[in-house]
Every structure is written in structure tokens, then in C-alpha cells.
Amino acid sequence: MIKINDIIKNNFVLSPHQLQLLEYSNKNVFHLKDLLSRNLGKQDNGVDIGSNNYMRCSPYTFLKTRVANKDSYIIDLSSNEAFEFMNYNSFVNQHLEKGDVIISKDSNIGESCILDKDYPNSMIASAFYKLPLKENKYYIFSFIKTEHFKKQLDLMVPRGATIRHAGTRFLDCCIPFPNGKDCTSIISKIENVVKEIIEKEQLIKENENKIFKLIEDELKSNSHISTYNLPKYSDILNKNRTDAGYYCKEFKDLNSLIKNYKNGYSNLKGFGYSISRGQNLQVSCIGKSIESKEFKKGFYKIAKPTDLSGYGTVTSYNYLGNKNELSLLKDGDIVFSAEGTIGKCAMFCNIMDEKIITNIHGIILSKLNHNVVESGFVCCFLRFLRKAGYFDYLSVGGQGGSLAMKYWDDVIIPKFPPKLIKEISELYCNESIDQQSNIISLDNQVKKLKDKLIRVFDLIVSKEFIEIEEINNILINSQTL
């Protein structure tokens, strides 16, 4: 039932979507605006600089809305689309410091992230607000990352627009706090888990940077860039491609750096990999299926290319129930996103009895008698190529493009020494149980901690009073306890 007073309070909006209400059993709630150390001001809002101020290279960067996403607590710069190099004359010093929380009001409304270090040479777009949080900052931030918060904001913002604009409506969203004698201890435990997640995500980021530096240093020390020449008619005729990116200097320079490497190079077929499409999941191919976001016993686990992160991990899985024997991934297989977000990829190891599949939009790189160490290196090098913009020039088509099967002969990998291959691969994935500091292991640890926080907040919003034992039962396996 909707009361006339509710419509009046909502500025006479009659949209059923915007008149929905979320109510929590826990009544110990505060509006986000009441938890800020001061009112939001102009100095907290980002500034747009216009695309005419973008540059190919600069010490100053302009951070766009993609730096905040649902799968990461810290700022995510793994994609070249998340930021732009900018003209220093347009730079506005917004004093971005470690621990600052920023939230998006446009496009991916309500998405937030926390800065993992100082960013003195970066500025945020006008889609962002920097939240002046002091007390219980990590608790508030972790609740903002939940679906409970985003659902509130979603109900406040009109639908139908291509890009949704939330303004500062996020300030009216409610943040519930634990209610009871142990509330201070509960908040402290939650904040410790959040800090642990942030620390592990920082380690993932550092590992990725180490990987890219090892690759770059090896190429620059043991190879050289050939003199660039404009394409000849015979080149265009042989390749049957007229798109300018394929012949540009940036692409040719990176290609020659690999081709001139002292130990040689090969394409993926030369490394022994077969290249195939993932499983076609259409009804016409496999019959009727049941898809679920939750784990179901006996279901297949789907690693979709759209759910691959920029760090070689899978952000989330869906589950598929189907009576047929579908094509499973094996240890050492690499799933590569060949459409849209081209170049994202992840290697799978320690699969054991899990039935993991991917869909037809993914490319599977596989070979017999997998060497997981070598596959880990290949996956890392493909991510290095993506970061360098290699696939932007190699792919074709609009809306993110596509890397068709016929273009894979152009994807080349240098033949690094075995010792370096092992060093790079172990920063990404290590089959040893004792080694927990590689990217894949850290990512698994982060997922488990985030799942615990989801369960904790589900409890906080649904119960009027909470005992610390209930929280401990959920967080019992956390290293923070």
C-alpha cells in the first residue's frame, strides 16, 4: 500500500519503482549523509576535462568510472579504458590520498572503491564524489559495496535512461549498524576483515606489476625495435586487411620487439596449443538447461569471458544444470575473451573434480600433457599484450571488437628462458599448497572473505539484536580473528 503522504514526500513522483521501500528488521540505521564528517562540497566532486585534453602519454591521469567496479574494493587500473593520460594544463589537484573512498553517481551508480595509495598526479571525473569519512570508515565502505546499499539507490533513481544519473541520492541511503552490547567489537572485527581484503587485493596488483616488469625488462634487454616503414601494397594484399591499426607504428614496434628477441618466438600453435571455441550453450545445441547464480550439486560451473578480471582471475561463476556431457576445462587450459573485452584471460589449475565449462564467446587454449607453469606464463604474456594495447590493433569490428580465429596466427609469444618462465608463472599461479601469495591463491582468499562479509551483513540487516558469537561463527576461518 502507498500512502498519499509518501507520494507528496517523493515530490509527487508516481513511478511504482521509485515508491518501493526497503525496510530492515534492524532499526539501528543512519543515513549516509549523517555519517560524513562534514557536508559534501564542491571540493569533493570530480571535474571533467573533455576528450580534447586526453594524451597518448603523460605523468597525469584522469580516472573514469571504470576504476570502481563491483569485484574490487581498491581502485582498479587493470584496464586501459579505466583512465586517460591527460594534459597537465587541465589538471586539478584533488588531493587524492590513500584511504579515500570515492563513489560513482553516474553510469555505474553506487559503485565505489578505496584508494590503495596516494594519487598526487591523478584526478577523478565529475561522475565521482569523494566521501569525507572518518569514524567507522571501513565498516561504512564495506556496506556500500553490498547489494543492500545498491538496491536502495536503484529504487531512488529513475529508470529508462541509457546512462542513469543518481545525483547525491546516495546520501539518503541507510547504513545499518549492529545493535547490542557487543556492537563496538563487531564493527571492529568487520573492519579488520575489510582491511585484510584490501591488503590482499594490493598484493594481487603488486604481483601483476612485477609480472609485467619482468616481461618488459627481458624484452628490452634482449631485443630491439626495427625501423618502422609504411605498409606496402603487397603487405596489404598478403594480410587482406585495410584497417589502419594493424599497420600503425605502436603495433609494429611491439611486434618487432617480440620477433627480434634473442631466443626466438612462436605463435600459440608453435607452442603446442590448440585453439577452439567454448561450449555452445544454446538450446539447439545442448537442449534445455537450468541456470543458477547459486551453487547446485551436479551442475556445471560456467566461467564466462565477461566475468574474467584484468588480473587473470574469474570474478564470479554461474551454474548450469544439463543432462548432457559438456566439454570440460582441464588443468592448464586458458580461457581467453575474444569479444568485447578482448584480451582478458585466465588459466585454470587445481580443478580436481569440478566440472568447469565456458561458453562460445570464449576461446580455449589447450594442449595435451599441459605444463601448468608454461601455461601460467602464456596467460601472463597475453595479459601483458592486452595492457600494451596489442589486441586493440589486432582485433576488428565495433563495440569492443572481435578477435576471430583467423587472426590468431598473428599472436606471438617470445621463448623466454625456463627459469624466467617459472618466476613469472609462480607470481600468477603455484600448485604448491604452501605457496599462498600468488595471484590466483590471493584471489581465492579474497572471495572467501567477501562471502563471509555478505553473510555478516545479511545478518545485521535482518536481526534487531546481534550477539558477537553469531559473527564469530561466520568469520571463524578468517585470519583476522
Side-chain angles (χ1 to χ4, degrees), residues 420-437:
L420 182 58
I421 286 176
K422 187 172 186 292
E423 183 180 0
I424 290 170
S425 184
E426 288 185 348
L427 284 168
Y428 172 54
C429 176
N430 195 317
E431 292 184 289
S432 170
I433 297 175
D434 298 328
Q435 179 56 262
Q436 299 294 315
S437 60

Side-chain angles (χ1 to χ4, degrees), residues 142-154:
S142 58
F143 186 82
I144 289 174
K145 293 294 291 185
T146 67
E147 288 302 315
H148 295 292
F149 181 90
K150 293 171 187 174
K151 179 64 175 176
Q152 292 182 65
L153 186 58
D154 178 60

Side-chain angles (χ1 to χ4, degrees), residues 119-160:
Y119 286 86
N121 292 342
S122 297
M123 59 180 291
I124 54 176
S126 64
F128 281 120
Y129 271 100
K130 186 168 65 169
L131 298 178
L133 294 169
K134 286 189 178 179
E135 292 186 16
N136 303 319
K137 175 172 68 176
Y138 293 97
Y139 176 89
I140 296 168
F141 168 68
S142 58
F143 186 82
I144 289 174
K145 293 294 291 185
T146 67
E147 288 302 315
H148 295 292
F149 181 90
K150 293 171 187 174
K151 179 64 175 176
Q152 292 182 65
L153 186 58
D154 178 60
L155 294 177
M156 296 178 186
V157 181
R159 291 183 175 180

